[in-house]
């Protein structure tokens, strides 16, 4: 398994990895310590409630989403950010089609081996 990304990631040269349920992604960069992922959501797509030991910071690049973190809901739209502490249950509902930039520390091994896609779907 590759342990770090290329130095330059040119997204227009990449295919979207289809995760199902109206969600797809492109890996923007990673090594053992950090991972950045571009995630595209169709309206109504859901990131079902889940938790992980990684710290997560998310930037809403476009669209509108309803996040729920540790039982607290908040709408976010383009330009907003979300911080998720390790092990907190969180989810997202896409209210208007858009993209998120997710950053994780450490790297999401489950994304690299393909097992970290089971929490996406359509409402």
């Amino acid at each position: 398994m590759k342990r770090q990304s290329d130095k330059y990631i040119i997204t227009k040269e990449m295919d979207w990895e289809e995760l199902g349920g109206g969600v797809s992604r492109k890996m923007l960069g990673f090594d053992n310590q950090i991972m950045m992922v571009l995630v595209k959501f169709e309206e109504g797509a859901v990131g079902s409630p889940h938790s992980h030991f990684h710290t997560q910071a998310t930037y809403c690049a476009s669209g509108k989403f309803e996040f729920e973190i540790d039982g607290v809901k908040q709408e976010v739209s383009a330009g907003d950010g979300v911080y998720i502490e390790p092990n907190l249950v969180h989810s997202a509902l896409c209210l208007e089609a858009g993209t998120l930039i997710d950053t994780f520390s450490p790297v999401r091994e489950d994304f690299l081996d393909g097992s970290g896609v089971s929490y996406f779907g359509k409402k």
Side-chain angles (χ1 to χ4, degrees):
M1 178 185 331
K2 191 173 180 182
R3 295 306 320 151
Q4 75 179 46
S5 63
D6 294 333
K7 288 181 177 43
Y8 298 99
I9 296 88
I10 311 302
T11 60
K12 67 183 175 187
E13 297 174 0
M14 300 169 64
D15 293 328
W16 287 96
E17 179 185 357
E18 297 294 332
L19 304 178
V23 182
S24 54
R25 71 179 170 207
K26 294 182 180 187
M27 300 294 188
L28 297 179
F30 65 91
D31 65 14
N32 288 330
Q33 303 303 311
I34 194 167
M35 173 179 271
M36 185 167 55
V37 183
L38 178 63
V39 189
K40 179 173 65 171
F41 285 79
E42 295 175 6
E43 185 173 320
V46 175
S48 298
H50 65 283
S51 64
H52 44 74
F53 68 88
H54 311 82
T55 298
Q56 178 176 343
T58 296
Y59 174 74
C60 182
S62 65
K64 185 186 284 186
F65 297 81
E66 179 185 79
F67 276 82
E68 183 171 351
I69 303 170
D70 201 26
V72 178
K73 292 184 179 183
Q74 176 69 49
E75 281 190 19
V76 300
S77 56
D80 294 335
V82 177
Y83 170 72
I84 303 167
E85 295 175 48
N87 302 310
L88 290 184
V89 175
H90 57 283
S91 61
L93 167 63
C94 182
L95 303 174
E96 295 176 7
T99 55
L100 301 173
I101 299 174
D102 287 336
T103 306
F104 302 96
S105 180
V107 65
R108 291 287 306 259
E109 296 284 348
D110 56 331
F111 283 14
L112 296 177
D113 70 17
S115 65
V117 300
S118 62
Y119 51 83
F120 293 113
K122 282 284 254 189
K123 187 167 184 172

